[in-house]
Amino acid sequence: MLRIHGIPRSRAFRCIWAAEEAGQAYEVVPVGFGPGLKDAISAINPNGKIPALEDGGLVLFESLAINLHIGAKAGAPLMPAGDDGARVLQWTLWAATEAEPQAMQWAYNTFILPAEKRDPALAAAGAAALAQRLAVLEAHLAAGGPWLLGAAFTIADCNLAGVLYGAWANGFDLGPFPKVKAWLDAALNRPAALAARKQREG
Ligand SMILES: N[C@@H](CCC(=O)N[C@@H](CS)C(=O)NCC(=O)O)C(=O)O
């Protein structure tokens, strides 16, 4: 049994989605935001952040690494071998380093921070930087698709769509990126994603 420490309204959402895609039994060990978070999670994640995973004797932090592990346990098609496995790693690291920092800069300064702490210039710069990356994704999907690696949904789709979920759900302008929008709509409406979203969105 996978034990996902966190709450669905955090990055634990991605791991819940991955477990649903993999068809693996899991429980969510509720650790939420607030002053008690670090005390509650530090024994499992020395970074003092959620999510973290316990899988038997294995303890992992980093949501996307957790998802690669869940994918690897399931095997293909969620986590293919060979060249496609390398492509999954490529898109997962792209999600973490190219998409997430830009999306979070926009998100913090658009809807996460209290209104008086938001900086519209930072929001605009984050949006512009994210749009630059989404243009790359748009071209990639236009050349292939419907999923990142082609015909089969993989954990790379879960990871990148999980990273972009906040932008998708909070009105980031995807108009210039119709292929990205169609891919995100399809990913986030898969039965496994809907099961995870139900826990997050109610
Ligand atoms: N790179 C980490 C980021 C984890 C992270 O920042 N989690 C947030 C919740 S979504 C958190 O625990 N924030 C509390 C804090 O930073 O004190 C991951 O993907 O797991």
Side-chain angles (χ1 to χ4, degrees):
M1 165 86 76
L2 302 173
R3 302 186 81 224
I4 300 169
H5 297 252
I7 50 172
R9 287 195 65 79
S10 72
R11 287 173 175 83
F13 167 70
R14 304 164 184 177
C15 305
I16 295 169
W17 179 9
E20 291 279 350
E21 290 284 357
Q24 289 180 18
Y26 66 93
E27 65 174 316
V28 177
V29 183
V31 181
F33 297 107
L37 186 148
K38 289 204 187 312
D39 285 347
I41 198 67
S42 288
I44 300 287
N45 180 356
N47 300 287
K49 296 184 177 188
I50 49 175
L53 177 77
E54 283 182 278
D55 182 10
L58 176 68
V59 179
L60 283 177
F61 52 80
E62 285 301 325
S63 56
L64 302 186
I66 290 168
N67 282 5
L68 291 172
H69 169 68
I70 293 173
K73 282 176 70 118
L78 198 56
M79 180 67 205
D83 288 355
D84 276 350
R87 292 184 181 103
V88 166
L89 299 180
Q90 170 196 275
W91 282 112
T92 296
L93 289 171
W94 191 86
T97 61
E98 296 293 330
E100 180 143 57
Q102 329 298 347
M104 291 309 289
Q105 181 173 325
W106 172 80
Y108 268 101
N109 291 285
T110 303
F111 62 91
I112 296 178
L113 286 172
E116 69 277 9
K117 293 195 173 162
R118 295 174 197 162
D119 181 336
L122 283 177
L130 181 58
Q132 192 185 37
R133 274 69 175 183
L134 293 183
V136 174
L137 182 57
E138 180 75 9
H140 174 73
L141 291 169
W147 304 113
L148 288 174
L149 271 66
F153 180 94
T154 69
I155 199 71
D157 295 287
C158 178
N159 282 343
L160 183 53
V163 162
L164 294 174
Y165 167 84
W168 178 83
N170 288 282
F172 188 88
D173 181 14
L174 293 170
F177 312 107
K179 300 279 183 198
V180 173
K181 183 175 184 317
W183 164 77
L184 270 172
D185 287 347
L188 289 161
N189 283 293
R190 291 168 62 84
L194 291 174
R197 285 177 59 196
K198 191 170 170 198
Q199 296 176 51
R200 181 183 177 112
E201 299 164 9

